[in-house]
Amino acid sequence: MKKLLVVIDMQVDFIDGALGTKEAEAIVPSVIQKITEFDGDVVYTRDTHEETYMDTAEGKKLPVPHCIRGSDGWQIHPGVYAAGAGKTIAVIDKPTFGSAALCDFAAAGEYDSIELVGLCTDICVISNALCLKARLWETPIGVWKSCCAGVTPESHDNALSAMTMCQIDIL
């Protein structure tokens, strides 16, 4: 059985940087353990913005510069990235919430199941889970509740409920 673990935006800016939260910090050990124990391929996504971020549609609605390409905050948390050592891994930079490139990667890999962990449950995790479900509707898609955090605990729970309604397994 060929499995894929998608690690969504476990970047410094989302953990303890510009948009970090205590909930995001709290899931880091669980995410590291999940990656370490995962028997399959691992792909990391990286929220990626340019210096012109504040001029973008997202920047106008969320006026907090974050994950600027090349900055310290753009980097994947070192422990999270190191957990993938020895596994088949890839990194996909994405300029927005959901990633068509991630869906292409998963489709090309012909995976039997896909699991997601990361940040933020209510923005990028749900966007990518739904993109994957739409593209690979017969492939089981699961999200590890204990390895995700939302902008708030309430929005995390709302996103998990929405994904359940879309036949994404909450693990």
Side-chain angles (χ1 to χ4, degrees), residues 1-5 38-41 111-115:
M1 187 161 157
K2 193 171 177 189
K3 297 169 31 175
L4 177 65
L5 178 64
F38 190 75
D39 183 25
D41 296 344
Y111 293 97
D112 297 307
S113 68
I114 301 171
E115 299 173 14

Side-chain angles (χ1 to χ4, degrees), residues 23-152:
E23 292 84 8
E25 289 181 45
I27 69 163
V28 170
S30 298
V31 171
I32 290 171
Q33 181 177 358
K34 181 59 60 190
I35 296 166
T36 302
E37 294 174 355
F38 190 75
D39 183 25
D41 296 344
V42 177
V43 61
Y44 296 89
T45 68
R46 191 166 44 191
D47 193 47
T48 303
H49 301 295
E50 306 304 332
E51 293 292 337
T52 56
Y53 170 76
M54 294 298 285
D55 297 326
T56 67
E58 180 183 329
K60 289 179 171 96
K61 291 188 183 264
L62 178 63
V64 178
H66 64 281
C67 299
I68 305 299
R69 185 186 304 276
S71 70
D72 290 341
W74 177 67
Q75 303 302 326
I76 296 168
H77 181 283
V80 171
Y81 190 76
K87 298 180 184 297
T88 301
I89 63 166
V91 177
I92 296 174
D93 292 340
K94 58 183 194 54
T96 189
F97 306 143
S99 174
L102 172 62
C103 292
D104 292 345
F105 178 90
E110 299 181 351
Y111 293 97
D112 297 307
S113 68
I114 301 171
E115 299 173 14
L116 291 88
V117 300
L119 302 167
C120 294
T121 319
D122 44 343
I123 302 173
C124 292
V125 173
I126 190 172
S127 295
N128 285 288
L130 291 171
C131 286
L132 288 163
K133 190 66 175 176
R135 176 82 178 270
L136 304 166
W137 58 91
E138 288 294 330
T139 303
I141 310 284
V143 172
W144 286 94
K145 177 181 179 176
S146 65
C147 294
C148 293
V151 174
T152 68

Side-chain angles (χ1 to χ4, degrees), residues 126 130 133 158-170:
I126 190 172
L130 291 171
K133 190 66 175 176
N158 289 339
L160 294 173
S161 294
M163 287 186 276
T164 299
M165 296 306 295
C166 294
Q167 300 178 0
I168 294 166
D169 298 319
I170 305 305

